[in-house]
Structures are given as structure tokens and as C-alpha cells.
Amino acid sequence: EKSTSYKTSNYRTNSKQATMAPKAEKEYTMEEVAKHNTQDDCWLVIGNDSTGGPKVYDVTSYLDDHPGGAEVMLDVGGQDADEFFEDIGHSNDAREELEKHLIGVLKMDEEEKKRRAAAASGGGGANVFLILAVLLAVGFGYYKTQMAPSE
């Protein structure tokens, strides 16, 4: 009987541990992150809606170990570096390394939400214009070389 109550007690302890709520992540504003942009203190914001939201990373201790060099990280220190991070096409190993430096999440106030929405939707406008200009130039060049009567 004694061992049964011990097992029951042990089981309950384990089940409580398994259902503990995760520790709340600290929230940082972009204003706070912006102060950390030096070799001795470098934070980055990386993440977007499709990757679980923007998170804050203290990469100071990793600067010298970064395969691309410290300079590329310092260039975006204290800023939202998500686009740069994703454009490079980092490996799963790099993403695992990044997680070791997680210190919190970006606090999304109304101003930050608007800025991110504008950046996500407005970025294509310039590209559309550029593509249109190139197509017009190619079309005009074709017309001049192929369609215009030769003299």
C-alpha cells in the first residue's frame, strides 16, 4: 500500500510539471530595441506573421561567430532585420542558433502594427512600376526594330 501511494504521488507530480504554463515572454518596443545597436550590445528583431511573429534577439555574444561576419549584423543592429534574415536563406542550423539568443517578443502597439502592414502591402508598388517601365522599354525597342518601316 505504501508503494502504491508513492507511485500515485509521483504520477501527480509529473502531471503537474507537464501542464505548467510556459513562462511569459518579455515584451520590448522598437524604441527599446533601437538602443541596442553596437558591437558591445546588439539586438535584432526577426520574425513575421508567417514565422510566429516578431521576436527580439540579443546577438551580442554571437557577433564574432557569425559566418557572414559581425558587420552584417551590426548594420541592422537595433532594427527589424527579418527581411534581411529571410532574404539570405539561412539554414535550419542558423535558425536553431538564433533561438539560443531569444530574449523576448516585439510589443506590437497600434503604430507598429500599422507600420508593418504598410511595409507588407506597400512594398510591391515600386516593383510593379519598375516592371511596367521595363516592359514598356522592351516593347518600344521591339517596335522600333521590327515594326517601324526601314528607310
Side-chain angles (χ1 to χ4, degrees):
E1 193 175 315
K2 203 173 196 181
S3 83
T4 305
S5 62
Y6 172 75
K7 285 181 182 173
T8 304
S9 171
N10 192 22
Y11 173 73
R12 286 186 183 142
T13 303
N14 286 342
S15 70
K16 281 182 185 174
Q17 288 172 346
T19 58
M20 284 176 58
K23 184 180 163 192
E25 292 180 312
K26 182 155 174 45
E27 289 188 324
Y28 298 94
T29 63
M30 275 309 295
E31 189 177 306
E32 288 173 291
V33 172
K35 297 173 186 173
H36 304 272
N37 61 358
T38 67
Q39 177 90 34
D40 299 321
D41 184 19
C42 186
W43 292 9
L44 304 174
V45 173
I46 297 175
N48 54 58
D49 290 341
S50 63
T51 60
K55 294 182 173 63
V56 180
Y57 299 90
D58 180 349
V59 296
T60 309
S61 64
Y62 186 66
L63 290 173
D64 292 334
D65 298 325
H66 184 247
E71 196 61 37
V72 293
M73 293 174 76
L74 289 168
D75 285 347
V76 291
Q79 301 173 48
D80 184 339
D82 183 64
E83 188 175 342
F84 296 100
F85 183 82
E86 295 300 338
D87 286 351
I88 296 297
H90 282 91
S91 66
N92 287 338
D93 287 347
R95 293 174 189 279
E96 287 173 18
E97 179 64 38
L98 183 65
E99 288 305 311
K100 296 176 188 174
H101 303 281
L102 178 67
I103 57 170
V105 296
L106 184 66
K107 186 174 184 176
M108 299 286 283
D109 57 16
E110 286 307 310
E111 188 178 318
E112 186 63 25
K113 287 178 186 171
K114 287 178 186 172
R115 188 190 70 75
R116 286 179 167 270
S121 64
N127 291 340
V128 169
F129 180 75
L130 181 64
I131 292 169
L132 185 59
V134 169
L135 287 174
L136 284 173
V138 169
F140 182 73
Y142 179 81
Y143 173 79
K144 289 299 275 181
T145 59
Q146 303 297 319
M147 305 304 270
S150 53
E151 294 178 22

